[in-house]
Amino acid sequence: MDTLRLLDILGFAVGIVYLILEYKASIWLWLASIIMPAVDMVLYYKAGLYADFGMAVYYCLAAVYGYLSWRFFRPGKGDGTQKERPVTRYRREHIIPSAAAALLLWAAIWFILVRFTDSTVPVADAFTTALSIVALWALARKYAEQWLIWLAVDLVCCILYVYKGIPFKAAIYGIYTVVAVLGYRKWLGLAATADAQAAGGQEPPLQD
C-alpha cells in the first residue's frame, strides 16, 4: 500500500472520531483536531492540495484556541468562575463581517495558488480553505450555525477529493455532509436548552 493511500485511510479513521465528538459537542474534539490535520499535512502536500496543506497547519493552531475558548469560558457574571462554553446561535452582527472575511480570504488564497503553486484546482481549493477558516472560528465560539458553513465546505470537498484521487477522504466528507444536517438540528436543541436555563437564572450544564 502506497503512502498516500495509507494516510488517506488513517485520516478517515481519525475524522470519524472527530465527527462523533463534534456531533456530541464534546470538548475532546479538539484533541482529534490536532491529530487529524497533522496527518492531513502530509496527505495534502503529496496530493498537491497546497491551500488545504496550509489549512491543516491552521487547524492545529486553531485547535488550541478552540479548546481554551470552550474550556475557560467566563459566563460574564463578574465572579471569576469558569464554565465550559454553551452552544449558542450565530450573532447577527457577525454575519456581514464573516461573509466579507470569507470572500477576501477566497480571493487572496486563489491568487496565491495561481501565482506561486502548480495547483490544478485553485478556485475550489481556495474556496474550501477560506470558508473553513470562518467555520473553525464559529466552531470555537460554539455557534450552532457553524454546521451550515461546514455543510458548504463538505459538499465541495467531497467532489474535489474524488477528482484528486483520494477516495477515503472524499467518503468522509460525504459523511460529513449528512452529519452536518443532523448536527445542526442537534446543536439548535442544545442552544435552546442553554437559553432556557439562562432565562431561568441557571448556568448551562457542563457538556462532556
Side-chain angles (χ1 to χ4, degrees):
M1 182 180 296
D2 60 46
T3 303
L4 187 63
R5 188 67 64 232
L6 180 62
L7 290 169
D8 191 15
I9 295 172
L10 180 59
F12 176 86
V14 178
I16 290 295
V17 174
Y18 170 88
L19 187 60
I20 294 171
L21 293 172
E22 183 182 10
Y23 178 80
K24 295 174 63 178
S26 170
I27 196 170
W28 293 107
L29 74 88
W30 296 111
L31 177 59
S33 290
I34 295 175
I35 298 173
M36 185 165 60
V39 174
D40 287 344
M41 284 182 206
V42 182
L43 174 66
Y44 291 145
Y45 187 80
K46 286 182 173 292
L49 294 166
Y50 303 115
D52 279 343
F53 169 81
M55 188 63 197
V57 177
Y58 169 74
Y59 271 137
C60 283
L61 298 176
V64 177
Y65 166 73
Y67 174 80
L68 295 175
S69 176
W70 283 31
R71 177 64 181 83
F72 299 109
F73 172 69
R74 295 183 183 276
K77 291 188 174 182
D79 58 3
T81 59
Q82 295 176 331
K83 303 290 185 180
E84 185 174 327
R85 181 183 293 276
V87 175
T88 56
R89 302 298 303 274
Y90 209 98
R91 295 185 178 180
R92 291 183 179 179
E93 61 266 29
H94 289 160
I95 295 177
I96 294 179
S98 296
L103 289 173
L104 289 173
L105 286 167
W106 185 11
I109 297 169
W110 185 357
F111 172 79
I112 291 171
L113 290 177
V114 172
R115 182 68 176 82
F116 300 106
T117 78
D118 59 353
S119 174
T120 58
V121 286
V123 177
D125 199 6
F127 174 79
T128 57
T129 302
L131 209 56
S132 292
I133 292 173
V134 176
L136 192 56
W137 171 82
L139 174 59
R141 303 297 295 180
K142 223 169 184 178
Y143 293 145
E145 285 75 13
Q146 58 96 12
W147 286 104
L148 298 181
I149 305 175
W150 285 121
L151 178 61
V153 174
D154 297 339
L155 283 169
V156 176
C157 281
C158 184
I159 298 171
L160 179 60
Y161 295 150
V162 169
Y163 176 76
K164 295 298 288 187
I166 40 181
F168 281 95
K169 201 66 178 177
I172 196 171
Y173 273 89
I175 296 172
Y176 281 175
T177 301
V178 176
V179 177
V181 178
L182 302 177
Y184 177 54
R185 294 181 61 183
K186 179 177 176 64
W187 278 39
L188 283 179
L190 293 174
T193 299
D195 286 343
Q197 290 168 339
Q202 300 177 356
E203 294 292 348
L206 297 183
Q207 300 171 28
D208 54 26

